[in-house]
Amino acid sequence: MAKSARSNARQKNNTALRNNVFGPVEQARARRLSEKLSQVVSQPTEREKQKQNEMEVERTHEESDKINPTTDAMEVDDQASKTSHTKPSNKRPSRVQKKRRGKPHSQITFPQLKKRALLKKKCSKR
């Protein structure tokens, strides 16, 4: 006869397995996950990277303005001329076409079946 899960021997074996076999595996997994999380947290986020890039770009612009103040004025003129040539689009959005519901028709045709159907119709008319 088989021993049930509530038997004392089964319970002792399960606790021994839990402590000696599965316990260390779970602890090792938890340790690996915590190390991975600590590495992820220590790395800078995307927002921080973007802020650093923006600050660097601003610094380079400031330095270039100090060196060549006339080049910035020309860029502004070019941007203004580009924006004046664009026309706003006043197109209306297209209408939504509704699907018509009815008897579903198959798109696949079988020539052999058509021939059989025609033969049946001809035979039934006699």
Side-chain angles (χ1 to χ4, degrees), residues 60-82:
T60 56
H61 282 295
E62 290 173 1
E63 291 173 1
S64 65
D65 289 342
K66 290 177 183 176
I67 296 171
N68 295 327
T70 58
T71 57
D72 191 32
M74 291 178 70
E75 290 176 7
V76 172
D77 292 339
D78 291 339
Q79 290 175 357
S81 64
K82 288 180 184 177

Side-chain angles (χ1 to χ4, degrees), residues 3-124:
K3 293 182 180 179
S4 69
R6 292 185 289 179
S7 69
N8 289 336
R10 195 60 79 113
Q11 288 176 355
K12 288 178 185 177
N13 288 336
N14 286 341
T15 55
L17 281 174
R18 204 176 313 126
N19 294 333
N20 298 331
V21 177
F22 304 120
V25 173
E26 288 179 11
Q27 291 172 357
R29 182 175 183 268
R31 194 178 314 116
R32 285 194 309 268
L33 288 174
S34 65
E35 289 174 2
K36 188 174 183 179
L37 281 174
S38 63
Q39 288 177 355
V40 169
V41 170
S42 65
Q43 293 177 353
T45 61
E46 291 293 324
R47 290 182 185 174
E48 292 174 358
K49 289 179 183 178
Q50 289 176 355
K51 287 180 183 178
Q52 289 175 354
N53 289 339
E54 290 173 1
M55 292 177 71
E56 290 175 6
V57 169
E58 289 176 7
R59 287 179 194 158
T60 56
H61 282 295
E62 290 173 1
E63 291 173 1
S64 65
D65 289 342
K66 290 177 183 176
I67 296 171
N68 295 327
T70 58
T71 57
D72 191 32
M74 291 178 70
E75 290 176 7
V76 172
D77 292 339
D78 291 339
Q79 290 175 357
S81 64
K82 288 180 184 177
T83 56
S84 64
H85 293 294
T86 59
K87 295 181 181 178
S89 62
N90 293 331
K91 293 182 180 179
R92 291 174 52 186
S94 61
R95 295 184 125 191
V96 176
Q97 294 182 357
K98 296 181 180 177
K99 291 184 179 180
R100 295 183 182 185
R101 295 187 184 215
K103 185 176 181 183
H105 296 287
S106 176
Q107 299 294 327
I108 302 172
T109 57
F110 297 99
Q112 295 174 346
L113 295 177
K114 282 186 177 181
K115 290 178 184 177
R116 289 182 196 164
L118 290 174
L119 289 175
K120 285 183 181 179
K121 286 182 181 178
K122 287 180 183 178
C123 293
S124 64

